[in-house]
Amino acid sequence: MKKKNSNFIQDVKTDWKRNKSLYFIIIPVILFYILFMYKPMYGALIAFQDYSPAKGMGGSNWVGFKHFIKFFNSPYFFRLIRNTIVLSLYSLIFCFPAPIILALLLNEVKNKKFKSVTQTMTYLPHFISMVVAVGIIQEFCLNDGLINDIVVMFGGERSAILQNPKLYRMIYIVSDIWQQIGWGSIMYLAALAGVDQQLYEAASIDGAGKWKQILNVTIPGIMPTVIIMLILRIGSLMSMGYEKTILLYNPTTYETADIISSYVYRVGLLEQSWSYSTAIGLLNSIINCALLVFANKMSKRVTENSLW
């Protein structure tokens, strides 16, 4: 036993000497997660209190699950859950495959200049401020905007697009693809670069054309990356960001646009119901955690690829 402990200590010392600089580099990352990710989790306790800033967490009254029950009985509960799930599923169905398809297409492009220009053009929207991006969308959707001009060109009539609840989800998803497709493809292009080129040569010798090479070599080669990214996406299924929603929606589209994160923003910051909004956020996080564990377990059982 003493010998094993001695060997372990020696291995740690050797590893420290060899990778000392790497450990120093990772210290800021560890501090970031401790200070901004784990330490604030203590604040989740106010979900079980009638929190008052004057009294603080130590002096506020404990109310148990009062705020959770209030949310379950809220007239907005089913609308928020429905909108969040529907928008998340639309994002999963349409936004998730888009970067994969773009990466597969770019992988087949032989003209390096064209490929470089295309990559740059698709990456740019990701770096545009969300406020500016939503401003562009709003300009396009005006009565005299580009989209209405196209509609009129094909014989349609002008309308207030952003005031139409039926069109909100389509606008959200299409703009999301526009913003994230290029940036999301980077991960898959990196995975494609790691596919063994000898497999393509072997497939070509066996008579496989480009399409069959993609189906039998390319896609299986990047499948572990796709599965990991899918698990992470499912794990955040209920966490649609509030920034774009609160900039894009309005009271006339609440019926299809209002989601959990935007509701938490309204009741937490605008109405100052801190305990109630924290309870909703905590419930949402628990659901996401359960989805992540479930998706990981199912992936491990079906494909043998998983996060842990």
Side-chain angles (χ1 to χ4, degrees), residues 11-117:
D11 290 341
V12 170
K13 288 180 178 179
T14 304
D15 186 65
W16 169 257
K17 290 179 181 178
R18 184 182 303 160
N19 302 308
K20 184 165 57 176
S21 59
L22 296 177
Y23 286 120
F24 279 119
I25 291 172
I26 204 173
I27 286 174
V29 178
I30 295 172
L31 289 175
F32 170 82
Y33 277 95
I34 291 173
L35 294 175
F36 298 103
M37 298 296 175
Y38 291 102
K39 187 175 179 291
M41 289 174 68
Y42 174 70
L45 290 175
I46 70 174
F48 305 94
Q49 299 177 325
D50 274 334
Y51 177 72
S52 169
K55 296 179 181 179
M57 290 182 61
S60 298
N61 297 325
W62 287 86
V63 294
F65 292 97
K66 170 188 170 182
H67 299 296
F68 295 92
I69 296 170
K70 179 183 176 182
F71 179 56
F72 291 140
N73 294 328
S74 168
Y76 304 116
F77 175 76
F78 288 107
R79 184 181 78 179
L80 294 170
I81 297 296
R82 181 197 67 209
N83 290 344
T84 303
I85 291 175
V86 170
L87 202 58
S88 296
L89 288 176
Y90 281 179
S91 179
L92 190 65
I93 293 169
F94 297 107
C95 298
F96 180 76
I100 302 173
I101 295 170
L102 177 62
L104 291 173
L105 292 173
L106 289 174
N107 190 54
E108 298 300 320
V109 174
K110 303 304 179 186
N111 188 317
K112 291 185 179 180
K113 188 175 181 180
F114 176 78
K115 184 176 181 179
S116 178
V117 171

Side-chain angles (χ1 to χ4, degrees), residues 36 38 43 87 119 140 174 207 223 233 247 254 263 296 305:
F36 298 103
Y38 291 102
L87 202 58
Q119 285 179 288
F140 282 178
V174 171
M223 191 54 66
R233 177 62 72 92
L247 290 169
Y254 277 176
Y263 184 69
N296 187 75
N305 292 304

Side-chain angles (χ1 to χ4, degrees), residues 206-222:
D206 289 340
K210 282 292 181 183
W211 178 244
K212 287 193 174 181
Q213 287 180 29
I214 291 172
L215 289 178
N216 298 304
V217 178
T218 307
I219 293 178
I222 65 171

Side-chain angles (χ1 to χ4, degrees), residues 112-155:
K112 291 185 179 180
K113 188 175 181 180
F114 176 78
K115 184 176 181 179
S116 178
V117 171
T118 303
Q119 285 179 288
T120 303
M121 294 297 291
T122 54
Y123 294 167
L124 283 177
H126 175 80
F127 298 99
I128 299 175
S129 164
M130 184 61 73
V131 176
V132 175
V134 171
I136 294 171
I137 296 168
Q138 290 172 338
E139 287 291 326
F140 282 178
C141 294
L142 291 173
N143 279 342
D144 57 349
L146 177 63
I147 296 176
N148 269 311
D149 289 343
I150 296 172
V151 171
V152 171
M153 188 187 301
F154 287 94

Side-chain angles (χ1 to χ4, degrees), residues 79-297:
R79 184 181 78 179
L80 294 170
I81 297 296
R82 181 197 67 209
N83 290 344
T84 303
I85 291 175
V86 170
L87 202 58
S88 296
L89 288 176
Y90 281 179
S91 179
L92 190 65
I93 293 169
F94 297 107
C95 298
F96 180 76
I100 302 173
I101 295 170
L102 177 62
L104 291 173
L105 292 173
L106 289 174
N107 190 54
E108 298 300 320
V109 174
K110 303 304 179 186
N111 188 317
K112 291 185 179 180
K113 188 175 181 180
F114 176 78
K115 184 176 181 179
S116 178
V117 171
T118 303
Q119 285 179 288
T120 303
M121 294 297 291
T122 54
Y123 294 167
L124 283 177
H126 175 80
F127 298 99
I128 299 175
S129 164
M130 184 61 73
V131 176
V132 175
V134 171
I136 294 171
I137 296 168
Q138 290 172 338
E139 287 291 326
F140 282 178
C141 294
L142 291 173
N143 279 342
D144 57 349
L146 177 63
I147 296 176
N148 269 311
D149 289 343
I150 296 172
V151 171
V152 171
M153 188 187 301
F154 287 94
E157 297 182 356
R158 296 183 183 275
S159 62
I161 297 173
L162 286 178
Q163 275 68 48
N164 189 340
K166 295 180 181 178
L167 297 177
Y168 174 82
R169 288 170 182 157
M170 182 183 70
I171 294 169
Y172 188 100
I173 295 300
V174 171
S175 61
D176 214 39
I177 293 173
W178 167 66
Q179 285 181 276
Q180 303 300 334
I181 186 171
W183 185 254
S185 67
I186 294 175
M187 183 72 70
Y188 302 107
L189 286 169
L192 286 167
V195 178
D196 190 351
Q197 296 301 310
Q198 291 182 352
L199 296 175
Y200 290 106
E201 295 176 7
S204 180
I205 293 171
D206 289 340
K210 282 292 181 183
W211 178 244
K212 287 193 174 181
Q213 287 180 29
I214 291 172
L215 289 178
N216 298 304
V217 178
T218 307
I219 293 178
I222 65 171
M223 191 54 66
T225 303
V226 173
I227 290 171
I228 294 301
M229 298 303 292
L230 180 60
I231 292 171
L232 293 173
R233 177 62 72 92
I234 292 174
S236 60
L237 196 66
M238 299 292 288
S239 293
M240 300 294 293
Y242 72 91
E243 299 93 343
K244 186 175 179 180
T245 299
I246 64 174
L247 290 169
L248 198 58
Y249 77 170
N250 56 74
T252 61
T253 58
Y254 277 176
E255 185 58 33
T256 57
D258 200 17
I259 56 177
I260 291 175
S261 59
S262 61
Y263 184 69
V264 168
Y265 169 81
R266 286 206 312 278
V267 299
L269 295 181
L270 302 184
E271 299 177 14
Q272 298 182 347
S273 299
W274 295 291
S275 293
Y276 182 48
S277 61
T278 303
I280 299 171
L282 180 59
L283 178 65
N284 200 39
S285 298
I286 292 171
I287 294 172
N288 278 329
C289 185
L291 287 171
L292 178 65
V293 173
F294 173 76
N296 187 75
K297 187 174 181 179

